[in-house]
Structures are given as structure tokens and as C-alpha cells.
Amino acid sequence: KNQVEQSPQSLIILEGKNCTLQCNYTVSPFSNLRWYKQDTGRGPVSLTIMTFSENTKSNGRYTATLDADTKQSSLHITASQLSDSASYICVVSANSNDYKLSFGAGTTVTVRA
Amino acid sequence: EAGVAQSPRYKIIEKRQSVAFWCNPISGHATLYWYQQILGQGPKLLIQFQNNGVVDDSQLPKDRFSAERLKGVDSTLKIQPAKLEDSAVYLCASSPMGRLARRSTDTQYFGPGTRLTVL
């Protein structure tokens, strides 16, 4: 069964600090991995997408890494801001005819001043 | 470019009542998705439309849930009758994915969701 596990479930950091979120998956065959940011009361917004051959992708202060051999990904937030408070969801797409998506449960990040 | 629109934003009903949600995708997007997101969990796909045809409804509880996408544009999701466990946020998403699109990296654009509370 294709699964996506995220850790930690939640974390609290001080403004200006860095943090790293983890995503482990068992989706096979693998097509791509996305990180989404979901603000409270809003729909998810795509931050990064990585295919099999990519091992890092940046979007401003967000940097995602991918190790397709160990089936792990991380999302690093640098110099956190209050607006980074959100849920971050890891989504993995299978390399099948329908490219079905498997969603993680998300990591809730709270940035405090 | 206007995003995915959903209404209502919030709905509170009693169990056994009926409810309907509406979604207007981004103009020109061929594919439309309905997801159910229970508090503390990631979204779960309920149904996927390609234009006005159903691609995947394997996780849609068909005894109580129904969805349609008339003319391949707007879509409605209905629950009849609702149960307590249906309390969740219902997200609509659309993507350009069509016959000529690169399906492997097709991006889904999500609406703000409808928060349903069943009492």
C-alpha cells in the first residue's frame, strides 16, 4: 500500500530560527514528490516539486531535498517568519497511468515572536 | 488569474440532513478533484473528473455521496444523508491536465474548502 509518513506531527519555533520537516514514503513506482503549504482555513498551495532525478529544490526560504534511494524527503525552512505558521503536507505521485497522489497527514508549524 | 472558488465556506447541519457543495475551477482546467480532509489528516481523494467524465471515484461512499460536473466546468458534491463522521473540510482542486498536458508534473490548485460540521 502506498503510504506517506510525516514527522514531527507538530512543532513550535521562534521567529528567525530554522526548522526541518521529514517525509518518508513507500509509494512505488515513484513519479514525483511535492511539498504543499496549507494556511489555516485555506486550501494547500504547492511549494516545490521534485522528480526522481532531482535531489534539491528551493523556493525562497523553503528548500526541499529528496533521496529516492531511501525514499525520504525533507523541507527546510530558513529564518522562519510568522507567516510560515501553517501545515506542510508531503504529497507523492505514483508513476502509474493515473499518477495517483498519496498525501501525508502534514506537519503543523507554529512560529512565535 | 482567478483561483478555484468554493461555496459555502462553512456549513452546519444535523445528522441525516442533506448538504451540497459547489466548486468553480480555474478557467480552462480539464481536471477537477473533490477531497475530504478530516482534522489532523491529509486530504483524501473522493472523486476525480476529466472534463465531465469520472476518472476515479473508488473512495467515494456512493451510498450517500454523489457528485456531478455539468458541461465539464462547475461541479457539485452532495451528501445525503449526512453522518457525524462526515464532519470535515471538503476541498475542490483543479488542474490543467488534459490530453496534451504532462500528467506527471501536473499541478493541482486548491480552493479554500468548505468546512462541514454534522451535529
Side-chain angles (χ1 to χ4, degrees):
Chain A
K1 181 181 178 181
N2 290 334
Q3 288 187 312
V4 178
E5 301 288 339
Q6 292 188 243
S7 63
Q9 186 175 25
S10 63
L11 66 92
I12 300 173
I13 59 173
L14 293 177
E15 189 177 14
K17 299 296 186 182
N18 304 334
C19 68
T20 300
L21 317 179
Q22 300 292 341
C23 173
N24 296 337
Y25 62 92
T26 60
V27 176
S28 182
F30 174 84
S31 176
N32 63 71
L33 184 148
R34 293 180 187 272
W35 283 94
Y36 278 88
K37 178 186 179 188
Q38 185 173 22
D39 292 313
T40 300
R42 310 191 76 151
V45 175
S46 181
L47 291 175
T48 63
I49 177 172
M50 289 179 291
T51 56
F52 184 86
S53 59
E54 298 172 297
N55 55 22
T56 187
K57 186 70 71 76
S58 290
N59 179 357
R61 295 178 295 100
Y62 300 103
T63 299
T65 64
L66 172 66
D67 186 334
D69 292 330
T70 61
K71 298 186 177 181
Q72 296 179 326
S73 175
S74 66
L75 180 69
H76 187 75
I77 305 176
T78 304
S80 62
Q81 299 177 0
L82 298 178
S83 59
D84 293 330
S85 294
S87 178
Y88 293 85
I89 303 174
C90 177
V91 183
V92 183
S93 176
N95 190 16
S96 57
N97 288 336
D98 58 4
Y99 294 99
K100 183 162 289 187
L101 302 182
S102 296
F103 287 79
T107 293
T108 300
V109 174
T110 302
V111 181
R112 291 189 174 161
Chain B
E1 177 183 81
V4 176
Q6 290 188 248
S7 68
R9 290 296 311 277
Y10 305 93
K11 190 72 176 179
I12 300 174
I13 61 173
E14 295 187 347
K15 60 182 179 182
R16 289 187 290 273
Q17 285 187 320
S18 301
V19 65
F21 312 128
W22 173 81
C23 172
N24 178 236
I26 292 174
S27 178
H29 279 195
T31 307
L32 185 146
Y33 312 79
W34 282 102
Y35 290 89
Q36 179 193 61
Q37 186 175 25
I38 294 172
L39 186 65
Q41 300 182 18
K44 182 185 86 171
L45 179 68
L46 292 175
I47 189 167
Q48 176 183 344
F49 292 94
Q50 177 85 12
N51 296 309
N52 60 352
V54 176
V55 174
D56 183 356
D57 63 356
S58 56
Q59 297 194 87
L60 186 74
K62 298 180 184 64
D63 58 333
R64 297 184 301 107
F65 286 65
S66 65
E68 60 181 5
R69 189 182 185 195
L70 298 176
K71 300 180 181 180
V73 182
D74 293 3
S75 178
T76 56
L77 176 69
K78 297 179 181 178
I79 307 175
Q80 180 180 5
K83 293 184 176 181
L84 296 177
E85 58 261 35
D86 297 333
S87 294
V89 174
Y90 290 84
L91 293 166
C92 178
S94 71
S95 70
M97 188 168 70
R99 186 172 59 85
L100 300 179
R102 291 186 60 203
R103 301 176 68 193
S104 63
T105 55
D106 196 37
T107 296
Q108 293 186 25
Y109 297 85
F110 286 83
T114 296
R115 182 176 296 279
L116 173 67
T117 302
V118 182
L119 304 176

